[in-house]
Amino acid sequence: GAGVSQSPSNKVTEKGKDVELRCDPISGHTALYWYRQSLGQGLEFLIYFQGNSAPDKSGLPSDRFSAERTGGSVSTLTIQRTQQEDSAVYLCASSLQEGNTIYFGEGSWLTVV
Amino acid sequence: AQSVAQPEDQVNVAEGNPLTVKCTYSVSGNPYLFWYVQYPNRGLQFLLKYITGDNLVKGSYGFEAEFNKSQTSFHLKKPSALVSDSALYFCAVRDVKNDYKLSFGAGTTVTVRA
């Protein structure tokens, strides 16, 4: 596609449920990122994938968060046993390779009630 | 560790006046510097970047930014602001030595009044 595509665009879930957020990067982009944007917290790095290398998971806030990238393209961010503090916008981004401009998707707005 | 500071939470200007959004950074090596804009309920849009070369970088929508190594700054400027420039602006930095992780400032909300 023309840009980074994320789904769902909005998700309301009950506390304790699991959620999956999907990201489809720009075609040909080898690097993929997940960031979280919380109200008043700015942008927080979560995880980075580059090709077939081991991902950098250093930003994941707890073991309830995990992410995978299948076939070097689509990525899924999974949050298990959601808590109210997980409510945020989850932004996916991709770039052609390390060092190039990172392009962001429109985000998945998660609300945990 | 790399970091970015945007000292102003909000900037208010009148339409037609110059707009400046300030950014300073800290990295251990040479920086890659970026500006992004976020409109309400939207993702981040890339505006411009400095990698190397000319210190004055021109980007989308008439914006430009000047890299100042001695002051470790990368301020965003527009000579004549429009009401449609009202948005949230983020400065970001990458360290050349750790060049995949982008660190963001807290953001500056720009309001341009008619």
Side-chain angles (χ1 to χ4, degrees), chain A residues 17-83:
Chain A
K17 301 275 185 162
D18 297 353
V19 296
E20 286 189 351
L21 307 176
R22 176 190 167 103
C23 173
D24 202 342
I26 293 172
S27 179
H29 281 195
T30 58
L32 187 147
Y33 307 74
W34 284 97
Y35 280 80
R36 179 168 70 175
Q37 185 177 20
S38 305
L39 192 62
Q41 297 293 320
L43 283 149
E44 175 187 8
F45 167 80
L46 296 178
I47 189 168
Y48 164 77
F49 295 92
Q50 171 59 264
N52 294 321
S53 301
D56 177 354
K57 304 179 181 180
S58 61
L60 295 178
S62 77
D63 58 8
R64 296 186 295 105
F65 288 73
S66 63
E68 63 177 18
R69 188 178 185 192
T70 55
S73 181
V74 172
S75 176
T76 302
L77 177 68
T78 302
I79 309 173
Q80 295 178 310
R81 305 181 302 281
T82 52
Q83 303 295 313

Side-chain angles (χ1 to χ4, degrees), chain B residues 4 20 27 29 39 44 68 70 72-73 77 85 93 100 102 105 109:
Chain B
V4 175
T20 298
V27 296
Y39 297 99
L44 272 67
N68 188 317
S70 63
T72 61
S73 67
K77 299 182 180 182
D85 293 329
V93 68
Y100 61 83
L102 204 57
T109 299

Side-chain angles (χ1 to χ4, degrees), chain B residues 11-13 17-21 63 76-82 85 89 110-112:
Chain B
V11 169
N12 299 305
V13 297
N17 282 3
L19 169 63
T20 298
V21 186
F63 283 94
L76 181 70
K77 299 182 180 182
K78 186 170 184 179
S80 178
L82 300 173
D85 293 329
Y89 291 79
V110 170
T111 302
V112 182

Side-chain angles (χ1 to χ4, degrees), chain A residues 33 35 56 100-102 106, chain B residues 36 42 49 94 100 102:
Chain A
Y33 307 74
Y35 280 80
D56 177 354
N100 281 16
T101 301
I102 299 175
E106 293 293 310
Chain B
Y36 288 85
R42 303 296 301 274
K49 67 180 178 183
R94 262 172 162 169
Y100 61 83
L102 204 57

Side-chain angles (χ1 to χ4, degrees), chain B residues 58-69:
Chain B
K58 294 186 183 296
S60 307
Y61 313 122
F63 283 94
E64 58 187 30
E66 185 164 12
F67 170 61
N68 188 317
K69 187 172 184 178

